[in-house]
Each structure stands twice: as C-alpha cells, then as structure tokens.
Amino acid sequence: MADSRATLRSSPGLALFSALVYLFLYAPILVLVVFSFNAGRLTAEWQGFTFAWYAKLLHNPQILSALRNSLVVATASTVACTILGTAAALAFHKHRFRKQAAMDALITVPIVVPEIVLASSLVLLFAAIGLRLGFFTVILAHIAFSVSYAVVVVRSRLAGFDRSLEEAAADLGAGPWATFWKVTLPGIAPGVLAGALLVFALSIDDYVITSFVAGVGATTLPIQIYSMVRTGISPEINAVSTILLAATSLLLFAAYRLEQGRSARTAVIPIVLSLGLLGAPFFLGGRAASGDKVLNVYIWSNYISPETVKKFEQRYGVHVNVDLYDTNEAMLAKVATGNVAYDILCPSNYPVESLRHQNLLLPLDHTALPHLTNIDPRFLDQAYDPGNRYSVPYFWGTGGIAYDKTKVGTVDSWAALWDARWKGRILMLDDPREAIGATFKWKGLSYNTVDEAKLFEARRLLMEQKKLVKTYNASNFEDVLLSRDVWLAQGWNGQFAKVMADDHELTYVIPKEGASMFVDSLVIPASAPHPELAHAFIDFTLEPEIAAEICRTMQYSTPNRAALPLLPAAIRDNPAIFPPDDVVGRLELIHDIGESTVLYDRLWTEVKTSE
Ligand code: N2P
C-alpha cells in the first residue's frame, strides 16, 4: 500500500492518467446526478438548484408503482436466492462430488451467459410450460440469473471458515442442525448477507431480462425509466435514476465491507440508508396507484397522454397499465408469444387484417359502443375489417418527410433522402414497411410491392443510402430533428406537427411521388382478461371531448367527426395534420402482404446490419 502511494506521488503522469480514467468512468454519472437538481427543463443547461424533480416523483403514480414492483421482486428473489445459494454453497463445501470441476463450472453459467441469451431462453421456457408472463415470471427469472452470485459469495466465505469448529461442536454432542444454527451460520453470516445484498442490487437494476419476461402490470423501475426515456429525457428521470444509483451503490458498499471480513455491524448504516432511500417515496408521497380492477393497454408511443388515461381511471375507478411500442412488428411479436394479457391493442390497418386471420381478436359488441357513430364514415367498413366487427379507428395519419428548410431548401421528393449533400443528416424510420415502402414509392412503385427482384433492388438502394443515414428511429424521431442531430427525417406526421408548432424552421411534406397513410384502430385481443372494461375504454375514446383531447395532445389526425369542431383552429387547419384532398389523393394504404412479410423483415434486418 505504502509503496504504491509513493509511486503515484512520485509520478505525476501516472496520477494524471488514473484521474482521467476515473473521470471517464464517473463523468456521465456525475452529470446525471448534478442535472437531477437542475431547475431548467432543458437537459444540458444549468439554471439553478432545485429539489422540484424529486418532489414531482412522489406524485407520479407510475413511478411509485414501478418502484413498489421492483422492491417486491427484489425482496422475493433475495430471500429465495439466499436460501438456495447458501444451501448449495454448503453442499459444495461439505461434499466432494464426483464431477466436481464440471459442477463448479455449471454453477457459474448464469453469470457468464450473455443476458440476452438467458432472457430469450426464459421466455421460450415460460411459453413452453404455458406460464403467462407477469409478476411471477419476473421473480423466477431474477432468481435464475442471480442465484449463482449468492453461491459464489457464500462459498468464498466458507473457504476461510475453520471446519474444526464444526467438528468440535459435534464432539461436544451437538446434532447437525444445532451445529448449523449455532456454529456454521454465525461463522458465515457476513458472507450470506453480502450475497443477499448483491442479489438485491442485481435485481433492482436489471433491465434486459426483465424486459423480456415482464408481462403486463409487472413494470419494474428500470423498465419504467426506459419507457420514459423513449418519450424524451426529463429531469424526473435523472432524479429517479439518481435514487436508484445511490441505493444500489450503498448496498454494494455494504456487501463489499462484509466480504472484506468486517463485522456485520459496519454494514448496518449503508443498508438502512439504502432501504430508506427506496422506501421513502411511499412514506412521503402516499400510496402507489392500485385497485383490483385493471385495464391493460398496449399502444403506440405518443398516442395517448397520461391525463386522458387518468380521466378514464377516475371515471371507472380502475387502474390502467399502459405499455408502449414503436412498430406494428414489435407489437405483433409480443402478442404472438400468446402469453401476455392485454385488453386493448392499437394496430394499423394491415396488422388488423393479419390478427383477424389468426383469430386473435374478439368480435366487438357494438351495443357497448354507442359513440361509434361519431366516426367519419370514410374510415368505417374498410376492406381490412368489413363492418368494423373487430376494430374502431383511433388515429389516422401519414408517413412523410420533415426537414429544416433553412438548411436544405425545399424538398419535394423521396430522392432528398438519397442526396449525398445531406450525408450524416438523414433519419429513416426504423420500420420495414415504411422504409422499404418509401424506397418503392420513390421509384414509382407501390408500398405493397411483393415482387422479389424489386425487393432486392430496394434493399440495394437502402444499403447505398445507409452511408448517408445518421440513425434509424421509430420512437422519438421528431426530437432528433428538433435537436438538429439530423436535418431531414422520415416519420409520422403527428409527432412532427407537435415540434413544428414551436420551431418554424421545420416543415413537413408528402413527396410528389406519394407517401403512406395509416389508420390505427383499437381492438380487443381474443384473450383479453377484461373485455367489458375494454369496450368501455374504446367508447370513452370515441366521446367528442375525449377524442378532441387525444388529438390536441398527440396531434395525429382524428377520424372522429364530432371532435373536429372542438379542436383549436391551429390544429384543425394544419395541413401537416389534416392534409388537403389533393395530397390525400397521393397517399397509399399499407396492406397485409401475407408471406412476404417475412422477406420484408429479413431484408430490413440485412440493411440495418450491413457494413
Ligand atoms: C406513433 C407513431 C404513429 C403510428 N409513435 C404510425 N402507424
């Protein structure tokens, strides 16, 4: 110790180097912590000190319920892993197994296997045994990935444990149980506690595996943070991340002390502080939202505001879980696993077709939807769902190009997205049907082209374009444009309309070759646990005031005629939101293309992963 200190002092170069390494490691965390106290909403500008974001957290029911879920999951998996892990470690310690080396290696497998592999195999397993994704599967998964850590930690403590003490106890007449409780356990207690703390910290932090195995209503804190990030980083996220960070660091610090062989007492303060941090929101902010009646909604991001959801919750005295997706494909993949319990989905026109053909939708009871008459007949009784037996239009819109006119002049063709002058300034929708479809449209073909040779040609064009593309994004593409990380972006009109309201250098165009149009509808899956409440929800969104609120807050186009007079002129007369008839004439609906979907998905993956 003394030696290495001397070296650092006598060599300023080395000291500087270490300082830089630490800076590299901790600067991002430091920035996050500092900005969680920033009075301004903008992420990167300091505008004074405040605790406001922490106070806001206390009144955010979504965060509180995510935090509560995280604590329940972490506690359950910690208890299970500590018991299992200690038992396994003792077994390893007491007995020599025949294939000892293999057993040793096997026990560490969950530690070294890539998380994503463990995650997908768990999902497969749960589907195979017919276990519905939810709270219970999250707990099982957390036990699976963290039990090994408990074993390893307890074993390392056992390695230094003097077994002659156990023999002495036995000699003095103690039975195996008495020996365990009175001699072994007290001897290894710090190791057991350190293992438990490690498991707790791992569980509280996990994102990847949880995101795979969490069904509805099992949103943990990391999942909640991620879904908030997708609609833009806010200081609230910095605040909740800071709390999570502080709590886990304290736990790890306590575990470290125990592993160093310190007495259990030295770990008490960090443990109490950590649990206090995690528990405080419940004492200070009241209870997390709960209630036995729930509705599980799986909908596009940027499609419904929390205020609207709250209105429904209050009117019906229920709790609504809202999960978000960014593409039809992501939604279909999740629904296809068959073991998620959603009550409402919001597919575009073409997936309605495929869900219907797979018998995955519940026929709607029109008598429970008295406000259906508010929908403009232009959007009713379409080929994808004759008679609207399964679907009720929610939003319609277009997929065009938004751009900064001061930087790129006037754009009127898809060709602009292949223009080398805008290298590194282009964003494409991360959506196979939209990206490949736009390529077709540019070349005078249809969004619904299925000819293989033409599809391969589209792939070639997209791979060529890739050199110019800054990023593929289907979630917050409008923010990327707003921040000028890109100057041109393919995307859906509503989100663009929202940022254009504040930024007049931006504009939105339907290229002269034409563009896509979508009609996204609410449907009820055949397996919905709460079909009655789901009908009530659909009818609620059809009420004129509610439909107008949804349109006003999200700025996608409402198909609800009765809502139109309630909209501010700035929205009703906005051509980016409600395009004039000649523009509508250039729009094409994306259809279900059956088998060819697989080829679209494959080609799109190839484009994105190509060099
Ligand atoms: C919502 C995107 C619009 C949906 N984030 C396009 N069908």
Side-chain angles (χ1 to χ4, degrees), residues 300-303 326 328 348 474-475 492 495 518 520 556:
W300 294 89
S301 60
N302 296 297
Y303 251 33
D326 296 319
N328 284 302
S348 296
S475 54
W492 294 299
Q495 282 155 261
F518 57 83
D520 295 347
Y556 280 98

PDB file of all heavy atoms in Angstrom, residues 300-303 326 328 348 474-475 492 495 518 520 556, ligand 1:
ATOM      1  N   TRP A 300     -49.211   2.457 -29.301  1.00  0.00           N
ATOM      2  CA  TRP A 300     -48.064   3.189 -29.839  1.00  0.00           C
ATOM      3  C   TRP A 300     -47.565   4.234 -28.836  1.00  0.00           C
ATOM      4  O   TRP A 300     -48.397   4.839 -28.132  1.00  0.00           O
ATOM      5  CB  TRP A 300     -48.470   3.956 -31.100  1.00  0.00           C
ATOM      6  CG  TRP A 300     -48.859   3.140 -32.274  1.00  0.00           C
ATOM      7  CD1 TRP A 300     -50.104   2.683 -32.566  1.00  0.00           C
ATOM      8  CD2 TRP A 300     -48.009   2.710 -33.342  1.00  0.00           C
ATOM      9  NE1 TRP A 300     -50.075   1.987 -33.748  1.00  0.00           N
ATOM     10  CE2 TRP A 300     -48.800   1.993 -34.249  1.00  0.00           C
ATOM     11  CE3 TRP A 300     -46.651   2.866 -33.625  1.00  0.00           C
ATOM     12  CZ2 TRP A 300     -48.298   1.423 -35.410  1.00  0.00           C
ATOM     13  CZ3 TRP A 300     -46.146   2.301 -34.775  1.00  0.00           C
ATOM     14  CH2 TRP A 300     -46.957   1.582 -35.650  1.00  0.00           C
ATOM     15  N   SER A 301     -46.259   4.479 -28.834  1.00  0.00           N
ATOM     16  CA  SER A 301     -45.763   5.602 -28.040  1.00  0.00           C
ATOM     17  C   SER A 301     -46.301   6.884 -28.682  1.00  0.00           C
ATOM     18  O   SER A 301     -46.566   6.920 -29.887  1.00  0.00           O
ATOM     19  CB  SER A 301     -44.231   5.615 -28.012  1.00  0.00           C
ATOM     20  OG  SER A 301     -43.710   5.729 -29.305  1.00  0.00           O
ATOM     21  N   ASN A 302     -46.476   7.925 -27.888  1.00  0.00           N
ATOM     22  CA  ASN A 302     -47.026   9.199 -28.370  1.00  0.00           C
ATOM     23  C   ASN A 302     -48.442   9.075 -28.917  1.00  0.00           C
ATOM     24  O   ASN A 302     -48.792   9.733 -29.897  1.00  0.00           O
ATOM     25  CB  ASN A 302     -46.133   9.807 -29.464  1.00  0.00           C
ATOM     26  CG  ASN A 302     -44.769  10.161 -28.930  1.00  0.00           C
ATOM     27  OD1 ASN A 302     -44.639  11.010 -28.058  1.00  0.00           O
ATOM     28  ND2 ASN A 302     -43.759   9.479 -29.424  1.00  0.00           N
ATOM     29  N   TYR A 303     -49.235   8.215 -28.321  1.00  0.00           N
ATOM     30  CA  TYR A 303     -50.595   8.043 -28.824  1.00  0.00           C
ATOM     31  C   TYR A 303     -51.660   8.377 -27.793  1.00  0.00           C
ATOM     32  O   TYR A 303     -52.824   8.520 -28.131  1.00  0.00           O
ATOM     33  CB  TYR A 303     -50.786   6.617 -29.346  1.00  0.00           C
ATOM     34  CG  TYR A 303     -50.886   6.570 -30.858  1.00  0.00           C
ATOM     35  CD1 TYR A 303     -50.182   7.474 -31.648  1.00  0.00           C
ATOM     36  CD2 TYR A 303     -51.692   5.637 -31.506  1.00  0.00           C
ATOM     37  CE1 TYR A 303     -50.278   7.450 -33.030  1.00  0.00           C
ATOM     38  CE2 TYR A 303     -51.793   5.603 -32.890  1.00  0.00           C
ATOM     39  CZ  TYR A 303     -51.081   6.514 -33.644  1.00  0.00           C
ATOM     40  OH  TYR A 303     -51.179   6.488 -35.012  1.00  0.00           O
ATOM     41  N   ASP A 326     -43.314   0.842 -30.705  1.00  0.00           N
ATOM     42  CA  ASP A 326     -42.993   1.807 -31.755  1.00  0.00           C
ATOM     43  C   ASP A 326     -43.248   1.301 -33.163  1.00  0.00           C
ATOM     44  O   ASP A 326     -43.180   2.063 -34.114  1.00  0.00           O
ATOM     45  CB  ASP A 326     -41.513   2.223 -31.659  1.00  0.00           C
ATOM     46  CG  ASP A 326     -41.225   2.950 -30.369  1.00  0.00           C
ATOM     47  OD1 ASP A 326     -42.066   3.763 -29.978  1.00  0.00           O
ATOM     48  OD2 ASP A 326     -40.189   2.686 -29.757  1.00  0.00           O
ATOM     49  N   ASN A 328     -45.578  -1.804 -35.572  1.00  0.00           N
ATOM     50  CA  ASN A 328     -46.552  -2.901 -35.592  1.00  0.00           C
ATOM     51  C   ASN A 328     -45.851  -4.230 -35.365  1.00  0.00           C
ATOM     52  O   ASN A 328     -46.371  -5.109 -34.684  1.00  0.00           O
ATOM     53  CB  ASN A 328     -47.254  -2.938 -36.951  1.00  0.00           C
ATOM     54  CG  ASN A 328     -48.293  -1.837 -37.079  1.00  0.00           C
ATOM     55  OD1 ASN A 328     -49.209  -1.757 -36.277  1.00  0.00           O
ATOM     56  ND2 ASN A 328     -48.125  -0.994 -38.076  1.00  0.00           N
ATOM     57  N   SER A 348     -52.145  -0.901 -36.789  1.00  0.00           N
ATOM     58  CA  SER A 348     -52.510  -0.201 -38.016  1.00  0.00           C
ATOM     59  C   SER A 348     -53.444  -1.103 -38.810  1.00  0.00           C
ATOM     60  O   SER A 348     -53.666  -2.261 -38.457  1.00  0.00           O
ATOM     61  CB  SER A 348     -51.259   0.096 -38.845  1.00  0.00           C
ATOM     62  OG  SER A 348     -50.424   0.972 -38.129  1.00  0.00           O
ATOM     63  N   ALA A 474     -37.858   4.870 -34.810  1.00  0.00           N
ATOM     64  CA  ALA A 474     -39.305   4.953 -35.000  1.00  0.00           C
ATOM     65  C   ALA A 474     -39.987   5.425 -33.728  1.00  0.00           C
ATOM     66  O   ALA A 474     -41.212   5.368 -33.621  1.00  0.00           O
ATOM     67  CB  ALA A 474     -39.867   3.593 -35.424  1.00  0.00           C
ATOM     68  N   SER A 475     -39.212   5.908 -32.747  1.00  0.00           N
ATOM     69  CA  SER A 475     -39.851   6.311 -31.499  1.00  0.00           C
ATOM     70  C   SER A 475     -39.887   7.822 -31.329  1.00  0.00           C
ATOM     71  O   SER A 475     -40.936   8.429 -31.419  1.00  0.00           O
ATOM     72  CB  SER A 475     -39.178   5.637 -30.308  1.00  0.00           C
ATOM     73  OG  SER A 475     -37.795   5.873 -30.325  1.00  0.00           O
ATOM     74  N   TRP A 492     -43.740   9.949 -38.970  1.00  0.00           N
ATOM     75  CA  TRP A 492     -45.197  10.090 -38.988  1.00  0.00           C
ATOM     76  C   TRP A 492     -45.607  11.498 -38.583  1.00  0.00           C
ATOM     77  O   TRP A 492     -44.990  12.103 -37.683  1.00  0.00           O
ATOM     78  CB  TRP A 492     -45.806   9.029 -38.081  1.00  0.00           C
ATOM     79  CG  TRP A 492     -45.581   7.642 -38.619  1.00  0.00           C
ATOM     80  CD1 TRP A 492     -46.027   7.156 -39.822  1.00  0.00           C
ATOM     81  CD2 TRP A 492     -44.869   6.570 -37.990  1.00  0.00           C
ATOM     82  NE1 TRP A 492     -45.624   5.846 -39.968  1.00  0.00           N
ATOM     83  CE2 TRP A 492     -44.926   5.452 -38.869  1.00  0.00           C
ATOM     84  CE3 TRP A 492     -44.190   6.433 -36.780  1.00  0.00           C
ATOM     85  CZ2 TRP A 492     -44.327   4.234 -38.570  1.00  0.00           C
ATOM     86  CZ3 TRP A 492     -43.588   5.220 -36.480  1.00  0.00           C
ATOM     87  CH2 TRP A 492     -43.661   4.127 -37.365  1.00  0.00           C
ATOM     88  N   GLN A 495     -46.211  13.511 -34.588  1.00  0.00           N
ATOM     89  CA  GLN A 495     -45.080  13.914 -33.757  1.00  0.00           C
ATOM     90  C   GLN A 495     -44.323  15.097 -34.376  1.00  0.00           C
ATOM     91  O   GLN A 495     -43.831  15.966 -33.673  1.00  0.00           O
ATOM     92  CB  GLN A 495     -44.162  12.719 -33.517  1.00  0.00           C
ATOM     93  CG  GLN A 495     -44.726  11.787 -32.454  1.00  0.00           C
ATOM     94  CD  GLN A 495     -44.225  10.357 -32.588  1.00  0.00           C
ATOM     95  OE1 GLN A 495     -44.917   9.507 -33.125  1.00  0.00           O
ATOM     96  NE2 GLN A 495     -43.029  10.099 -32.115  1.00  0.00           N
ATOM     97  N   PHE A 518     -51.861   5.687 -42.836  1.00  0.00           N
ATOM     98  CA  PHE A 518     -52.255   4.597 -41.945  1.00  0.00           C
ATOM     99  C   PHE A 518     -53.551   4.949 -41.239  1.00  0.00           C
ATOM    100  O   PHE A 518     -53.888   6.123 -41.084  1.00  0.00           O
ATOM    101  CB  PHE A 518     -51.161   4.307 -40.911  1.00  0.00           C
ATOM    102  CG  PHE A 518     -50.793   5.504 -40.077  1.00  0.00           C
ATOM    103  CD1 PHE A 518     -51.537   5.854 -38.960  1.00  0.00           C
ATOM    104  CD2 PHE A 518     -49.687   6.290 -40.399  1.00  0.00           C
ATOM    105  CE1 PHE A 518     -51.205   6.958 -38.190  1.00  0.00           C
ATOM    106  CE2 PHE A 518     -49.350   7.398 -39.625  1.00  0.00           C
ATOM    107  CZ  PHE A 518     -50.109   7.738 -38.521  1.00  0.00           C
ATOM    108  N   ASP A 520     -54.927   3.660 -37.636  1.00  0.00           N
ATOM    109  CA  ASP A 520     -54.634   2.816 -36.480  1.00  0.00           C
ATOM    110  C   ASP A 520     -55.905   2.687 -35.641  1.00  0.00           C
ATOM    111  O   ASP A 520     -56.553   3.689 -35.336  1.00  0.00           O
ATOM    112  CB  ASP A 520     -53.502   3.422 -35.645  1.00  0.00           C
ATOM    113  CG  ASP A 520     -52.186   3.457 -36.417  1.00  0.00           C
ATOM    114  OD1 ASP A 520     -52.101   2.795 -37.475  1.00  0.00           O
ATOM    115  OD2 ASP A 520     -51.244   4.149 -35.979  1.00  0.00           O
ATOM    116  N   TYR A 556     -51.877  13.626 -33.857  1.00  0.00           N
ATOM    117  CA  TYR A 556     -52.196  12.788 -35.019  1.00  0.00           C
ATOM    118  C   TYR A 556     -53.630  13.124 -35.417  1.00  0.00           C
ATOM    119  O   TYR A 556     -54.353  13.804 -34.669  1.00  0.00           O
ATOM    120  CB  TYR A 556     -52.018  11.305 -34.670  1.00  0.00           C
ATOM    121  CG  TYR A 556     -50.557  10.895 -34.725  1.00  0.00           C
ATOM    122  CD1 TYR A 556     -49.773  10.826 -33.576  1.00  0.00           C
ATOM    123  CD2 TYR A 556     -49.943  10.631 -35.951  1.00  0.00           C
ATOM    124  CE1 TYR A 556     -48.428  10.492 -33.637  1.00  0.00           C
ATOM    125  CE2 TYR A 556     -48.602  10.296 -36.021  1.00  0.00           C
ATOM    126  CZ  TYR A 556     -47.845  10.226 -34.869  1.00  0.00           C
ATOM    127  OH  TYR A 556     -46.526   9.915 -34.947  1.00  0.00           O
TER     128      TYR A 556
HETATM  129  C1  N2P B   1     -46.689   6.707 -33.015  1.00  0.00           C
HETATM  130  C2  N2P B   1     -46.392   6.504 -34.420  1.00  0.00           C
HETATM  131  C3  N2P B   1     -47.531   6.634 -35.377  1.00  0.00           C
HETATM  132  C4  N2P B   1     -48.098   5.344 -35.762  1.00  0.00           C
HETATM  133  N1  N2P B   1     -45.486   6.793 -32.278  1.00  0.00           N
HETATM  134  C5  N2P B   1     -47.985   5.018 -37.175  1.00  0.00           C
HETATM  135  N2  N2P B   1     -48.842   3.975 -37.509  1.00  0.00           N
END
